[in-house]
Amino acid sequence: MHNAAFAALGLNWRYLAFEVDPKQLRAAIAGAQAMKFTGLNLTVPHKLLAVDMVDALDESAKVWGAVNTIRFEGRTTQSDWLPLREFNHCVPVETRTQGFNTDAAGLAASLREDLNFDLQGKKVLLLGAGGAGRTAALKLASENVLELFLVNRTFSKTLELQVEITRNFPSVYVGLGYPKTEVDLVINATSLGLKSGDASPLDEKEFSLKQTRAVYDMIYRPAETTLLKAAKAAGCKTANGLGMLLHQGAKAFEIWTGQPAPLDVMRRALEQNVYGH
Ligand code: NAP
């Protein structure tokens, strides 16, 4: 999606994928900086490790405690830090890395666009408390959901998350386990559903799909997980995680280029690459 967007904007840039051993992450970031890369995206398991490896953290990375986007910046003779792309005709005094996080904003944008869902005052059941689940929970709380119910295979993680949310967002009620009442939205942030034949992450003996209006699955491949199939059959509004992937990418694009992301071009390229049509 990034290469399609660069082409659409006439930028002679390339987005490339590299597999990096976590032990080599610091060296890989320093290498990209030495080679005057414009920026980087990081994925699991690098997002948490990178927090201690960048020179500066944008507010988004501080709040969510993870870095998925890095921008390389240069210092001018007036001591201002500017994106490296702005140093066309002069050499920076020194360079640095700044870390950002675009995942949370990507999720909120996708919920709005794909489910027409506004989080404020809503009741949400969130499945999963790994990296994506934690970021989602904090984002939902920061957007003033009314009640948030956390379910995870490893119970202790939901307990830790409850403490963190209650400390930072005291007005949000955080329940552990399945709610007895109805909710407005169920979000799957577990990796259960990625493999064909995976069961649904929702225990329907504990919580019926009749108890929710909408279901969002962060998984986008397969396009329809067991959970989404069941949710559709139960009459819920559904969306998969492709929109989240699109919007976190679009935000990163804007951080690197300083230009609005061509969303339609990026969406078409994503669908082509992920689903082949
Ligand atoms: P992670 O940190 O490894 O967390 C995995 C989560 O899934 C944990 O909550 C884990 O529970 C749970 N889980 C794994 N196997 C399970 C099983 N057999 N039964 C029940 N729960 C299970 O991964 P992550 O980064 O949070 O990613 C989670 C999912 O979100 C993945 O499917 C990923 O593809 C998706 N995602 C999508 C986007 C997007 O842009 N659409 C972005 C980020 C992530 P435990 O804590 O008990 O291990």
Short mmCIF file of all heavy atoms in Angstrom, two decimals, residues 201-270:
data_model
loop_
_atom_site.label_atom_id
_atom_site.label_comp_id
_atom_site.label_asym_id
_atom_site.label_seq_id
_atom_site.Cartn_x
_atom_site.Cartn_y
_atom_site.Cartn_z
N PRO A 201 -12.77 -17.15 19.21
CA PRO A 201 -12.24 -16.75 20.52
C PRO A 201 -13.34 -16.43 21.53
O PRO A 201 -13.06 -16.25 22.71
CB PRO A 201 -11.43 -15.50 20.20
CG PRO A 201 -12.08 -14.95 18.97
CD PRO A 201 -12.59 -16.12 18.19
N LEU A 202 -14.60 -16.38 21.06
CA LEU A 202 -15.73 -16.04 21.95
C LEU A 202 -16.36 -17.32 22.48
O LEU A 202 -16.75 -18.19 21.69
CB LEU A 202 -16.77 -15.23 21.17
CG LEU A 202 -17.95 -14.74 21.98
CD1 LEU A 202 -17.55 -13.52 22.81
CD2 LEU A 202 -19.11 -14.35 21.06
N ASP A 203 -16.48 -17.42 23.80
CA ASP A 203 -17.13 -18.58 24.40
C ASP A 203 -18.64 -18.32 24.43
O ASP A 203 -19.13 -17.58 25.30
CB ASP A 203 -16.59 -18.79 25.82
CG ASP A 203 -17.16 -20.04 26.48
OD1 ASP A 203 -18.14 -20.60 25.93
OD2 ASP A 203 -16.64 -20.44 27.52
N GLU A 204 -19.36 -18.93 23.50
CA GLU A 204 -20.80 -18.61 23.37
C GLU A 204 -21.65 -19.22 24.48
O GLU A 204 -22.83 -18.93 24.58
CB GLU A 204 -21.31 -18.97 21.98
CG GLU A 204 -20.73 -18.02 20.93
CD GLU A 204 -21.45 -18.08 19.61
OE1 GLU A 204 -22.67 -17.87 19.59
OE2 GLU A 204 -20.77 -18.35 18.60
N LYS A 205 -21.01 -20.06 25.31
CA LYS A 205 -21.74 -20.54 26.49
C LYS A 205 -21.79 -19.43 27.55
O LYS A 205 -22.67 -19.35 28.37
CB LYS A 205 -21.07 -21.80 27.07
CG LYS A 205 -21.22 -23.03 26.17
CD LYS A 205 -20.94 -24.33 26.89
CE LYS A 205 -19.48 -24.54 27.22
NZ LYS A 205 -18.56 -24.66 26.09
N GLU A 206 -20.78 -18.55 27.49
CA GLU A 206 -20.68 -17.45 28.46
C GLU A 206 -21.33 -16.16 27.95
O GLU A 206 -21.80 -15.34 28.72
CB GLU A 206 -19.19 -17.15 28.76
CG GLU A 206 -18.44 -18.26 29.42
CD GLU A 206 -18.81 -18.40 30.89
OE1 GLU A 206 -19.31 -17.42 31.48
OE2 GLU A 206 -18.63 -19.50 31.45
N PHE A 207 -21.28 -15.99 26.63
CA PHE A 207 -21.77 -14.74 26.05
C PHE A 207 -22.35 -15.03 24.66
O PHE A 207 -21.64 -15.51 23.78
CB PHE A 207 -20.61 -13.73 25.94
CG PHE A 207 -21.03 -12.38 25.43
CD1 PHE A 207 -21.43 -11.38 26.31
CD2 PHE A 207 -21.03 -12.10 24.06
CE1 PHE A 207 -21.82 -10.13 25.84
CE2 PHE A 207 -21.43 -10.86 23.59
CZ PHE A 207 -21.82 -9.88 24.48
N SER A 208 -23.64 -14.73 24.48
CA SER A 208 -24.28 -15.01 23.20
C SER A 208 -24.09 -13.83 22.24
O SER A 208 -24.10 -12.66 22.67
CB SER A 208 -25.77 -15.24 23.44
OG SER A 208 -26.48 -15.00 22.25
N LEU A 209 -23.95 -14.15 20.95
CA LEU A 209 -23.80 -13.07 19.96
C LEU A 209 -25.07 -12.23 19.86
O LEU A 209 -25.07 -11.16 19.28
CB LEU A 209 -23.42 -13.67 18.61
CG LEU A 209 -21.92 -14.02 18.51
CD1 LEU A 209 -21.64 -14.94 17.34
CD2 LEU A 209 -21.08 -12.76 18.41
N LYS A 210 -26.17 -12.75 20.43
CA LYS A 210 -27.42 -11.96 20.48
C LYS A 210 -27.28 -10.78 21.45
O LYS A 210 -28.10 -9.88 21.47
CB LYS A 210 -28.59 -12.85 20.96
CG LYS A 210 -28.88 -14.00 20.02
CD LYS A 210 -29.90 -13.59 18.96
CE LYS A 210 -30.21 -14.72 18.00
NZ LYS A 210 -29.77 -14.51 16.64
N GLN A 211 -26.21 -10.84 22.29
CA GLN A 211 -26.02 -9.77 23.29
C GLN A 211 -25.23 -8.59 22.75
O GLN A 211 -24.88 -7.69 23.49
CB GLN A 211 -25.27 -10.33 24.52
CG GLN A 211 -26.10 -11.23 25.40
CD GLN A 211 -25.24 -11.91 26.46
OE1 GLN A 211 -24.95 -13.09 26.36
NE2 GLN A 211 -24.83 -11.18 27.48
N THR A 212 -24.88 -8.60 21.44
CA THR A 212 -24.14 -7.46 20.88
C THR A 212 -24.71 -7.04 19.54
O THR A 212 -25.29 -7.85 18.83
CB THR A 212 -22.63 -7.77 20.74
OG1 THR A 212 -21.97 -6.59 20.27
CG2 THR A 212 -22.37 -8.91 19.76
N ARG A 213 -24.48 -5.75 19.21
CA ARG A 213 -24.96 -5.23 17.93
C ARG A 213 -23.90 -5.40 16.84
O ARG A 213 -24.20 -5.55 15.67
CB ARG A 213 -25.23 -3.72 18.06
CG ARG A 213 -26.43 -3.37 18.89
CD ARG A 213 -26.79 -1.92 18.69
NE ARG A 213 -25.84 -1.00 19.32
CZ ARG A 213 -25.16 -0.05 18.70
NH1 ARG A 213 -25.28 0.12 17.40
NH2 ARG A 213 -24.34 0.76 19.35
N ALA A 214 -22.61 -5.33 17.25
CA ALA A 214 -21.53 -5.31 16.25
C ALA A 214 -20.34 -6.12 16.72
O ALA A 214 -20.09 -6.25 17.93
CB ALA A 214 -21.13 -3.86 16.00
N VAL A 215 -19.59 -6.67 15.77
CA VAL A 215 -18.38 -7.44 16.07
C VAL A 215 -17.26 -7.00 15.13
O VAL A 215 -17.45 -6.94 13.90
CB VAL A 215 -18.61 -8.97 15.91
CG1 VAL A 215 -17.31 -9.73 16.15
CG2 VAL A 215 -19.69 -9.46 16.88
N TYR A 216 -16.10 -6.68 15.73
CA TYR A 216 -14.93 -6.28 14.95
C TYR A 216 -13.82 -7.29 15.21
O TYR A 216 -13.49 -7.58 16.37
CB TYR A 216 -14.45 -4.88 15.38
CG TYR A 216 -13.37 -4.31 14.51
CD1 TYR A 216 -13.69 -3.56 13.39
CD2 TYR A 216 -12.02 -4.53 14.80
CE1 TYR A 216 -12.69 -3.03 12.57
CE2 TYR A 216 -11.03 -4.01 13.98
CZ TYR A 216 -11.38 -3.26 12.88
OH TYR A 216 -10.38 -2.73 12.06
N ASP A 217 -13.25 -7.86 14.16
CA ASP A 217 -12.14 -8.80 14.32
C ASP A 217 -10.89 -8.16 13.74
O ASP A 217 -10.86 -7.80 12.56
CB ASP A 217 -12.46 -10.12 13.58
CG ASP A 217 -11.59 -11.26 14.09
OD1 ASP A 217 -10.43 -10.99 14.47
OD2 ASP A 217 -12.07 -12.41 14.11
N MET A 218 -9.85 -7.99 14.57
CA MET A 218 -8.62 -7.36 14.08
C MET A 218 -7.93 -8.19 13.00
O MET A 218 -7.12 -7.69 12.24
CB MET A 218 -7.64 -7.15 15.24
CG MET A 218 -8.00 -6.02 16.15
SD MET A 218 -6.57 -5.62 17.16
CE MET A 218 -7.34 -4.55 18.35
N ILE A 219 -8.27 -9.49 12.96
CA ILE A 219 -7.68 -10.35 11.93
C ILE A 219 -8.29 -9.98 10.57
O ILE A 219 -9.49 -9.75 10.47
CB ILE A 219 -7.97 -11.84 12.27
CG1 ILE A 219 -7.23 -12.21 13.56
CG2 ILE A 219 -7.57 -12.77 11.11
CD1 ILE A 219 -7.57 -13.59 14.09
N TYR A 220 -7.45 -9.88 9.55
CA TYR A 220 -7.97 -9.56 8.21
C TYR A 220 -7.68 -10.67 7.20
O TYR A 220 -8.19 -10.64 6.08
CB TYR A 220 -7.39 -8.22 7.71
CG TYR A 220 -5.89 -8.14 7.80
CD1 TYR A 220 -5.08 -8.65 6.81
CD2 TYR A 220 -5.29 -7.58 8.92
CE1 TYR A 220 -3.70 -8.59 6.91
CE2 TYR A 220 -3.92 -7.52 9.05
CZ TYR A 220 -3.13 -8.02 8.03
OH TYR A 220 -1.76 -7.97 8.15
N ARG A 221 -6.85 -11.65 7.58
CA ARG A 221 -6.62 -12.81 6.73
C ARG A 221 -6.72 -14.05 7.59
O ARG A 221 -5.85 -14.19 8.47
CB ARG A 221 -5.26 -12.72 6.05
CG ARG A 221 -5.10 -13.73 4.93
CD ARG A 221 -3.97 -13.46 3.99
NE ARG A 221 -2.81 -12.83 4.62
CZ ARG A 221 -1.91 -12.12 3.95
NH1 ARG A 221 -2.01 -11.93 2.66
NH2 ARG A 221 -0.88 -11.59 4.58
N PRO A 222 -7.76 -14.87 7.44
CA PRO A 222 -8.81 -14.84 6.43
C PRO A 222 -9.75 -13.64 6.60
O PRO A 222 -9.89 -13.11 7.70
CB PRO A 222 -9.58 -16.15 6.69
CG PRO A 222 -9.35 -16.42 8.14
CD PRO A 222 -7.96 -15.96 8.42
N ALA A 223 -10.39 -13.26 5.49
CA ALA A 223 -11.29 -12.10 5.51
C ALA A 223 -12.46 -12.33 6.47
O ALA A 223 -12.95 -11.39 7.07
CB ALA A 223 -11.80 -11.83 4.10
N GLU A 224 -12.91 -13.59 6.56
CA GLU A 224 -14.02 -13.88 7.47
C GLU A 224 -13.64 -15.03 8.40
O GLU A 224 -13.56 -16.18 7.99
CB GLU A 224 -15.28 -14.22 6.66
CG GLU A 224 -16.53 -14.06 7.48
CD GLU A 224 -17.78 -14.18 6.62
OE1 GLU A 224 -18.04 -15.29 6.12
OE2 GLU A 224 -18.47 -13.17 6.44
N THR A 225 -13.37 -14.70 9.64
CA THR A 225 -13.00 -15.72 10.64
C THR A 225 -14.27 -16.45 11.10
O THR A 225 -15.39 -16.02 10.80
CB THR A 225 -12.36 -15.03 11.86
OG1 THR A 225 -13.28 -14.06 12.34
CG2 THR A 225 -11.04 -14.36 11.51
N THR A 226 -14.05 -17.52 11.87
CA THR A 226 -15.19 -18.26 12.45
C THR A 226 -16.06 -17.30 13.26
O THR A 226 -17.29 -17.37 13.20
CB THR A 226 -14.65 -19.39 13.37
OG1 THR A 226 -13.72 -20.16 12.61
CG2 THR A 226 -15.75 -20.27 13.89
N LEU A 227 -15.41 -16.39 14.00
CA LEU A 227 -16.17 -15.42 14.81
C LEU A 227 -17.03 -14.52 13.93
O LEU A 227 -18.22 -14.32 14.20
CB LEU A 227 -15.19 -14.56 15.64
CG LEU A 227 -15.82 -13.37 16.36
CD1 LEU A 227 -16.81 -13.82 17.42
CD2 LEU A 227 -14.75 -12.48 16.98
N LEU A 228 -16.44 -13.98 12.87
CA LEU A 228 -17.21 -13.06 12.01
C LEU A 228 -18.36 -13.77 11.30
O LEU A 228 -19.44 -13.21 11.13
CB LEU A 228 -16.30 -12.37 10.99
CG LEU A 228 -15.38 -11.27 11.54
CD1 LEU A 228 -14.70 -10.53 10.39
CD2 LEU A 228 -16.13 -10.28 12.42
N LYS A 229 -18.11 -15.02 10.89
CA LYS A 229 -19.19 -15.81 10.24
C LYS A 229 -20.37 -15.96 11.19
O LYS A 229 -21.52 -15.72 10.83
CB LYS A 229 -18.66 -17.21 9.88
CG LYS A 229 -18.21 -17.32 8.46
CD LYS A 229 -18.04 -18.80 8.08
CE LYS A 229 -17.07 -18.86 6.93
NZ LYS A 229 -15.73 -19.30 7.27
N ALA A 230 -20.06 -16.35 12.43
CA ALA A 230 -21.13 -16.56 13.43
C ALA A 230 -21.83 -15.24 13.74
O ALA A 230 -23.06 -15.21 13.91
CB ALA A 230 -20.52 -17.16 14.70
N ALA A 231 -21.05 -14.16 13.79
CA ALA A 231 -21.63 -12.85 14.12
C ALA A 231 -22.60 -12.40 13.02
O ALA A 231 -23.68 -11.89 13.28
CB ALA A 231 -20.52 -11.82 14.31
N LYS A 232 -22.18 -12.62 11.79
CA LYS A 232 -23.04 -12.26 10.65
C LYS A 232 -24.34 -13.06 10.72
O LYS A 232 -25.44 -12.52 10.56
CB LYS A 232 -22.30 -12.59 9.34
CG LYS A 232 -22.24 -11.41 8.40
CD LYS A 232 -21.56 -11.81 7.13
CE LYS A 232 -20.73 -10.66 6.61
NZ LYS A 232 -19.92 -11.04 5.45
N ALA A 233 -24.20 -14.38 10.97
CA ALA A 233 -25.38 -15.24 11.04
C ALA A 233 -26.32 -14.81 12.17
O ALA A 233 -27.53 -14.98 12.06
CB ALA A 233 -24.94 -16.70 11.26
N ALA A 234 -25.74 -14.23 13.22
CA ALA A 234 -26.57 -13.78 14.35
C ALA A 234 -27.16 -12.38 14.11
O ALA A 234 -27.83 -11.83 14.97
CB ALA A 234 -25.74 -13.77 15.63
N GLY A 235 -26.85 -11.81 12.94
CA GLY A 235 -27.44 -10.52 12.58
C GLY A 235 -26.64 -9.31 13.04
O GLY A 235 -27.14 -8.17 13.00
N CYS A 236 -25.37 -9.53 13.48
CA CYS A 236 -24.56 -8.39 13.93
C CYS A 236 -23.93 -7.68 12.72
O CYS A 236 -23.70 -8.28 11.68
CB CYS A 236 -23.39 -8.86 14.80
SG CYS A 236 -23.87 -9.84 16.21
N LYS A 237 -23.64 -6.41 12.91
CA LYS A 237 -22.83 -5.66 11.95
C LYS A 237 -21.38 -6.15 12.14
O LYS A 237 -20.94 -6.32 13.29
CB LYS A 237 -22.89 -4.18 12.33
CG LYS A 237 -23.17 -3.26 11.18
CD LYS A 237 -23.43 -1.88 11.68
CE LYS A 237 -23.13 -0.93 10.54
NZ LYS A 237 -23.33 0.45 10.90
N THR A 238 -20.64 -6.39 11.07
CA THR A 238 -19.29 -6.94 11.24
C THR A 238 -18.26 -6.19 10.39
O THR A 238 -18.61 -5.60 9.36
CB THR A 238 -19.22 -8.43 10.82
OG1 THR A 238 -19.60 -8.52 9.43
CG2 THR A 238 -20.12 -9.31 11.65
N ALA A 239 -17.01 -6.24 10.84
CA ALA A 239 -15.88 -5.73 10.02
C ALA A 239 -14.63 -6.46 10.43
O ALA A 239 -14.47 -6.83 11.60
CB ALA A 239 -15.72 -4.23 10.23
N ASN A 240 -13.72 -6.68 9.47
CA ASN A 240 -12.43 -7.28 9.82
C ASN A 240 -11.35 -6.20 9.95
O ASN A 240 -11.64 -5.01 9.79
CB ASN A 240 -12.05 -8.40 8.83
CG ASN A 240 -11.61 -7.87 7.47
OD1 ASN A 240 -11.23 -6.70 7.32
ND2 ASN A 240 -11.66 -8.72 6.47
N GLY A 241 -10.11 -6.62 10.24
CA GLY A 241 -9.06 -5.66 10.61
C GLY A 241 -8.34 -4.99 9.45
O GLY A 241 -7.35 -4.28 9.67
N LEU A 242 -8.85 -5.17 8.22
CA LEU A 242 -8.13 -4.55 7.09
C LEU A 242 -8.12 -3.02 7.21
O LEU A 242 -7.13 -2.37 6.89
CB LEU A 242 -8.74 -4.97 5.75
CG LEU A 242 -7.79 -4.75 4.58
CD1 LEU A 242 -6.72 -5.83 4.54
CD2 LEU A 242 -8.51 -4.72 3.24
N GLY A 243 -9.23 -2.47 7.69
CA GLY A 243 -9.31 -1.01 7.84
C GLY A 243 -8.32 -0.49 8.87
O GLY A 243 -7.77 0.60 8.72
N MET A 244 -8.09 -1.29 9.93
CA MET A 244 -7.11 -0.89 10.95
C MET A 244 -5.71 -0.86 10.35
O MET A 244 -4.93 0.07 10.55
CB MET A 244 -7.19 -1.88 12.12
CG MET A 244 -6.22 -1.59 13.23
SD MET A 244 -6.45 -2.77 14.58
CE MET A 244 -5.06 -2.33 15.62
N LEU A 245 -5.41 -1.91 9.57
CA LEU A 245 -4.11 -1.99 8.89
C LEU A 245 -3.94 -0.78 7.96
O LEU A 245 -2.89 -0.13 7.92
CB LEU A 245 -4.03 -3.30 8.10
CG LEU A 245 -2.72 -3.58 7.40
CD1 LEU A 245 -1.60 -3.81 8.40
CD2 LEU A 245 -2.85 -4.82 6.49
N LEU A 246 -5.00 -0.49 7.20
CA LEU A 246 -4.96 0.63 6.25
C LEU A 246 -4.69 1.95 6.99
O LEU A 246 -3.80 2.71 6.62
CB LEU A 246 -6.31 0.72 5.52
CG LEU A 246 -6.55 1.99 4.71
CD1 LEU A 246 -5.65 2.01 3.48
CD2 LEU A 246 -8.01 2.11 4.28
N HIS A 247 -5.46 2.19 8.06
CA HIS A 247 -5.37 3.51 8.70
C HIS A 247 -4.09 3.69 9.52
O HIS A 247 -3.57 4.80 9.58
CB HIS A 247 -6.63 3.77 9.54
CG HIS A 247 -7.81 4.12 8.68
ND1 HIS A 247 -7.93 5.35 8.07
CD2 HIS A 247 -8.88 3.41 8.28
CE1 HIS A 247 -9.06 5.38 7.35
NE2 HIS A 247 -9.64 4.20 7.47
N GLN A 248 -3.57 2.59 10.12
CA GLN A 248 -2.28 2.78 10.81
C GLN A 248 -1.19 3.07 9.77
O GLN A 248 -0.28 3.85 10.02
CB GLN A 248 -1.93 1.60 11.74
CG GLN A 248 -1.73 0.23 11.10
CD GLN A 248 -0.40 0.06 10.38
OE1 GLN A 248 0.59 0.66 10.77
NE2 GLN A 248 -0.39 -0.73 9.32
N GLY A 249 -1.33 2.45 8.59
CA GLY A 249 -0.36 2.68 7.52
C GLY A 249 -0.47 4.10 6.96
O GLY A 249 0.54 4.75 6.69
N ALA A 250 -1.69 4.57 6.82
CA ALA A 250 -1.91 5.92 6.29
C ALA A 250 -1.32 6.98 7.23
O ALA A 250 -0.70 7.95 6.79
CB ALA A 250 -3.40 6.16 6.08
N LYS A 251 -1.48 6.74 8.55
CA LYS A 251 -0.92 7.69 9.53
C LYS A 251 0.61 7.69 9.44
O LYS A 251 1.25 8.74 9.52
CB LYS A 251 -1.33 7.30 10.96
CG LYS A 251 -2.80 7.45 11.24
CD LYS A 251 -3.08 8.66 12.13
CE LYS A 251 -4.54 8.90 12.36
NZ LYS A 251 -5.37 9.13 11.19
N ALA A 252 1.21 6.49 9.31
CA ALA A 252 2.67 6.41 9.19
C ALA A 252 3.13 7.14 7.92
O ALA A 252 4.12 7.89 7.94
CB ALA A 252 3.10 4.94 9.16
N PHE A 253 2.40 6.95 6.84
CA PHE A 253 2.72 7.60 5.57
C PHE A 253 2.77 9.13 5.76
O PHE A 253 3.67 9.81 5.27
CB PHE A 253 1.65 7.23 4.53
CG PHE A 253 1.89 7.79 3.16
CD1 PHE A 253 2.55 7.04 2.19
CD2 PHE A 253 1.45 9.06 2.82
CE1 PHE A 253 2.77 7.55 0.92
CE2 PHE A 253 1.67 9.58 1.56
CZ PHE A 253 2.33 8.83 0.61
N GLU A 254 1.79 9.65 6.50
CA GLU A 254 1.73 11.10 6.71
C GLU A 254 2.88 11.58 7.60
O GLU A 254 3.43 12.66 7.39
CB GLU A 254 0.35 11.47 7.28
CG GLU A 254 -0.72 11.27 6.20
CD GLU A 254 -2.16 11.45 6.68
OE1 GLU A 254 -2.37 11.71 7.88
OE2 GLU A 254 -3.07 11.30 5.84
N ILE A 255 3.27 10.75 8.57
CA ILE A 255 4.41 11.10 9.44
C ILE A 255 5.70 11.18 8.62
O ILE A 255 6.52 12.08 8.79
CB ILE A 255 4.54 10.05 10.58
CG1 ILE A 255 3.40 10.25 11.58
CG2 ILE A 255 5.90 10.14 11.27
CD1 ILE A 255 3.23 9.10 12.57
N TRP A 256 5.88 10.25 7.69
CA TRP A 256 7.12 10.25 6.89
C TRP A 256 7.11 11.34 5.82
O TRP A 256 8.11 11.99 5.59
CB TRP A 256 7.31 8.90 6.18
CG TRP A 256 7.44 7.73 7.08
CD1 TRP A 256 8.14 7.67 8.26
CD2 TRP A 256 6.88 6.43 6.89
NE1 TRP A 256 8.04 6.43 8.80
CE2 TRP A 256 7.28 5.64 7.99
CE3 TRP A 256 6.09 5.86 5.90
CZ2 TRP A 256 6.91 4.32 8.13
CZ3 TRP A 256 5.73 4.53 6.04
CH2 TRP A 256 6.13 3.77 7.14
N THR A 257 5.97 11.47 5.11
CA THR A 257 5.98 12.33 3.92
C THR A 257 5.52 13.75 4.19
O THR A 257 5.80 14.65 3.41
CB THR A 257 5.04 11.76 2.81
OG1 THR A 257 3.69 11.82 3.30
CG2 THR A 257 5.40 10.34 2.44
N GLY A 258 4.75 13.95 5.27
CA GLY A 258 4.18 15.27 5.54
C GLY A 258 3.04 15.60 4.59
O GLY A 258 2.60 16.75 4.51
N GLN A 259 2.54 14.60 3.87
CA GLN A 259 1.44 14.82 2.91
C GLN A 259 0.25 13.93 3.27
O GLN A 259 0.45 12.83 3.82
CB GLN A 259 1.89 14.47 1.49
CG GLN A 259 3.07 15.29 1.04
CD GLN A 259 3.34 15.06 -0.45
OE1 GLN A 259 2.44 15.14 -1.26
NE2 GLN A 259 4.58 14.78 -0.78
N PRO A 260 -0.98 14.36 2.92
CA PRO A 260 -2.14 13.49 3.18
C PRO A 260 -2.01 12.17 2.43
O PRO A 260 -1.59 12.16 1.26
CB PRO A 260 -3.32 14.29 2.64
CG PRO A 260 -2.83 15.69 2.45
CD PRO A 260 -1.35 15.63 2.28
N ALA A 261 -2.34 11.07 3.09
CA ALA A 261 -2.22 9.76 2.45
C ALA A 261 -3.33 9.58 1.42
O ALA A 261 -4.49 9.91 1.70
CB ALA A 261 -2.32 8.67 3.51
N PRO A 262 -3.01 9.07 0.22
CA PRO A 262 -4.07 8.77 -0.76
C PRO A 262 -4.78 7.48 -0.37
O PRO A 262 -4.41 6.39 -0.81
CB PRO A 262 -3.28 8.62 -2.07
CG PRO A 262 -1.91 8.22 -1.66
CD PRO A 262 -1.67 8.72 -0.27
N LEU A 263 -5.80 7.61 0.49
CA LEU A 263 -6.44 6.45 1.11
C LEU A 263 -7.02 5.45 0.11
O LEU A 263 -6.88 4.24 0.28
CB LEU A 263 -7.55 6.92 2.05
CG LEU A 263 -7.13 7.21 3.49
CD1 LEU A 263 -8.29 7.79 4.27
CD2 LEU A 263 -6.62 5.95 4.18
N ASP A 264 -7.67 5.97 -0.94
CA ASP A 264 -8.29 5.04 -1.90
C ASP A 264 -7.25 4.19 -2.61
O ASP A 264 -7.44 2.99 -2.82
CB ASP A 264 -9.14 5.81 -2.92
CG ASP A 264 -10.39 6.37 -2.25
OD1 ASP A 264 -10.72 5.89 -1.15
OD2 ASP A 264 -11.01 7.29 -2.83
N VAL A 265 -6.13 4.83 -2.97
CA VAL A 265 -5.04 4.10 -3.64
C VAL A 265 -4.49 3.03 -2.71
O VAL A 265 -4.26 1.88 -3.10
CB VAL A 265 -3.91 5.10 -4.03
CG1 VAL A 265 -2.66 4.37 -4.49
CG2 VAL A 265 -4.40 6.08 -5.09
N MET A 266 -4.31 3.41 -1.43
CA MET A 266 -3.73 2.46 -0.47
C MET A 266 -4.70 1.30 -0.21
O MET A 266 -4.29 0.15 -0.11
CB MET A 266 -3.39 3.19 0.84
CG MET A 266 -2.28 4.22 0.64
SD MET A 266 -1.88 5.17 2.13
CE MET A 266 -0.77 4.06 2.98
N ARG A 267 -6.00 1.61 -0.12
CA ARG A 267 -6.99 0.56 0.13
C ARG A 267 -7.02 -0.43 -1.03
O ARG A 267 -7.02 -1.64 -0.82
CB ARG A 267 -8.38 1.19 0.33
CG ARG A 267 -9.43 0.16 0.72
CD ARG A 267 -10.80 0.75 0.91
NE ARG A 267 -10.92 1.57 2.11
CZ ARG A 267 -11.04 2.88 2.15
NH1 ARG A 267 -11.05 3.57 1.03
NH2 ARG A 267 -11.14 3.51 3.28
N ARG A 268 -7.00 0.10 -2.26
CA ARG A 268 -7.03 -0.79 -3.43
C ARG A 268 -5.80 -1.69 -3.46
O ARG A 268 -5.90 -2.89 -3.73
CB ARG A 268 -7.10 0.03 -4.73
CG ARG A 268 -8.52 0.23 -5.23
CD ARG A 268 -8.57 0.60 -6.70
NE ARG A 268 -7.72 1.74 -7.04
CZ ARG A 268 -8.05 3.01 -6.84
NH1 ARG A 268 -9.22 3.31 -6.31
NH2 ARG A 268 -7.24 3.99 -7.17
N ALA A 269 -4.63 -1.12 -3.18
CA ALA A 269 -3.38 -1.90 -3.20
C ALA A 269 -3.41 -2.97 -2.11
O ALA A 269 -2.97 -4.11 -2.35
CB ALA A 269 -2.19 -0.97 -3.00
N LEU A 270 -3.93 -2.62 -0.94
CA LEU A 270 -4.03 -3.58 0.16
C LEU A 270 -4.92 -4.76 -0.23
O LEU A 270 -4.56 -5.92 -0.06
CB LEU A 270 -4.67 -2.91 1.37
CG LEU A 270 -3.84 -2.63 2.61
CD1 LEU A 270 -4.74 -2.22 3.75
CD2 LEU A 270 -3.00 -3.81 3.00
#
